[in-house]
Amino acid sequence: MVDEKAAERRREILEAWEGLKTRTHFEVLGLSRSVGEAEVKDAYFRLAKRFHPDVHHGASLGDLRDELEAVFIRLGEAYDVLRDPRKRGDYEERLGRSRPRPAAEGGGGAGGPEPAPPEPAPDPEEAARLAEDNVRRAATLVEQEKYWDAIQLLEPAVEIVQGKSRLRARVLLARCYIRNPKWAKSAEATLLAATREDPKAVDPWALLGAIYAEKGLRMRATAMYRKALELTPEHEEAARYLAQKAPPQESPQDDGGGEGGGGLLGRLFRKG
C-alpha cells in the first residue's frame, strides 16, 4: 500500500513538472480565468503545501527534489502574477482574449484543466509586430529575474522574428533556460542554433564558453571563447578565461578536467 501511494505521488509530481513549459499560470494553479484573488490565494497555498520540496523526505521520492523545486517555484511565480491586478492584467493581455473556461472538476491542481481550443491564426504582419514587442518585454522580464514569464514570451516569438531580433530572442531564451539545470541542454541547443544562423554574433559563442567552463569542459570552453575573441578582440571574459584556464596544448577530446568556470557563467549572465 505504501509503495502504491509513493508511485501515485511520483506520477503526480512528474506530471506537474512535465507540464511546466506549456501551462499558463491559471492552468498551473488549476483555475479558470474568471477566478478572483481569494481563489488564487487558496489554490496557491493548497498546492504549495502539496509540492513543497521539504515535505517529501522519503527515499522513493528523493530523486525528484529538483522537479519538486521547479514546480514549487513555478507555483510561486503564478501566484505572484495572478494576485496582483496590474500584473494579472498585463499577463492576460499577453495570453490573448480567449474565452474563460471553468477549472477542472475537483479543483484540478498543478496538472491544470484541459487545454483550450486553438485560436484562429493572427494576421502575419500583426503577429510579427507582436513577436517583436514580446522580445522587448522579455528582455525587461529577464532583468527583473522573471525567467518563466520571459520564456513564455520568447519561445513563440523566436519562431516568428527575424534577423537581429531572432538572435536577441535566442540569447535571452538561453539565459532563461540556464537558470534551471534541467534545461541546460535546451540552452545549449538554442545557442548552437544561433551560431549557425549568425556565425559572426559574439554573444552565443561567449555564452556557450561560459556554460562549458562552468561544467569544467575546458576544451569546449576554450574553442568557444577563442571564437568570441576572434570576433571581438576586446572581449574581456573570453580573454580572461583563455589566459587563466585554457589548456596549453590541444587534444582531440575533452578531458572534462580542470576547474569549472569559477563564476564565469554568473558574471556573463549579469552582463546581459
Side-chain angles (χ1 to χ4, degrees):
M1 189 68 173
V2 174
D3 291 342
E4 291 180 5
K5 186 176 181 180
E8 183 179 348
R9 287 293 293 128
R10 287 186 69 86
R11 286 192 295 270
E12 181 184 19
I13 293 166
L14 289 171
E15 180 184 353
W17 176 73
E18 289 167 358
L20 291 183
K21 293 179 67 174
T22 59
R23 291 172 182 145
T24 68
H25 288 334
F26 292 98
E27 290 168 339
V28 164
L29 293 175
L31 299 171
S32 74
R33 287 179 58 177
S34 61
V35 298
E37 184 178 347
E39 292 165 292
V40 170
K41 183 177 180 180
D42 288 345
Y44 167 70
F45 282 103
R46 172 172 52 81
L47 292 170
K49 182 178 180 180
R50 180 88 176 145
F51 288 95
H52 198 293
D54 292 339
V55 172
H56 307 276
H57 297 292
S60 61
L61 298 174
D63 62 315
L64 296 182
R65 184 174 180 83
D66 288 346
E67 286 81 354
L68 277 165
E69 287 181 349
V71 173
F72 185 72
I73 290 170
R74 180 74 170 84
L75 289 169
E77 291 174 346
Y79 176 59
D80 180 65
V81 171
L82 298 185
R83 69 174 176 167
D84 184 300
R86 182 183 59 80
K87 292 180 181 178
R88 177 171 173 173
D90 291 344
Y91 179 69
E92 290 197 86
E93 183 180 350
R94 296 199 301 270
L95 284 181
R97 297 182 179 180
S98 59
R99 183 175 301 175
R101 59 188 188 277
E105 187 175 348
E114 291 296 318
E119 297 181 11
D123 174 79
E125 291 186 4
E126 178 62 26
R129 284 193 295 269
L130 179 61
E132 292 275 0
D133 186 50
N134 284 345
V135 173
R136 289 190 289 270
R137 290 184 181 183
T140 300
L141 291 170
V142 171
E143 291 176 0
Q144 297 170 350
E145 299 186 356
K146 296 179 179 179
Y147 305 114
W148 177 257
D149 286 345
I151 288 173
Q152 294 291 93
L153 294 178
L154 289 167
E155 285 185 333
V158 79
E159 302 298 329
I160 299 173
V161 294
Q162 300 294 326
K164 290 184 178 180
S165 291
R166 177 176 288 184
L167 173 66
R168 185 187 188 197
R170 279 182 166 150
V171 172
L172 285 170
L173 189 55
R175 292 182 186 279
C176 293
Y177 285 151
I178 287 169
R179 310 310 292 182
N180 188 329
K182 295 287 184 179
W183 296 343
K185 288 293 184 183
S186 295
E188 181 182 14
T190 300
L191 292 168
L192 289 172
T195 64
R196 288 192 296 269
E197 187 164 287
D198 189 353
K200 294 184 178 181
V202 67
D203 286 348
W205 296 108
L207 190 51
L208 280 167
I211 290 172
Y212 295 143
E214 201 75 12
K215 293 180 178 179
L217 301 174
R218 293 188 301 167
M219 296 302 300
R220 295 187 192 180
T222 297
M224 299 300 105
Y225 275 131
R226 282 180 176 165
K227 185 65 177 179
L229 205 60
E230 175 187 323
L231 294 167
T232 305
E234 65 274 16
H235 197 288
E236 294 181 5
E237 203 70 59
R240 185 181 302 113
Y241 180 86
L242 292 173
Q244 296 177 357
K245 306 285 187 179
Q249 187 174 353
E250 298 280 351
S251 63
Q253 293 182 337
D254 251 321
D255 60 8
E259 299 176 19
L264 287 172
L265 186 56
R267 291 200 299 273
L268 189 58
F269 190 96
R270 288 193 292 273
K271 283 187 178 182

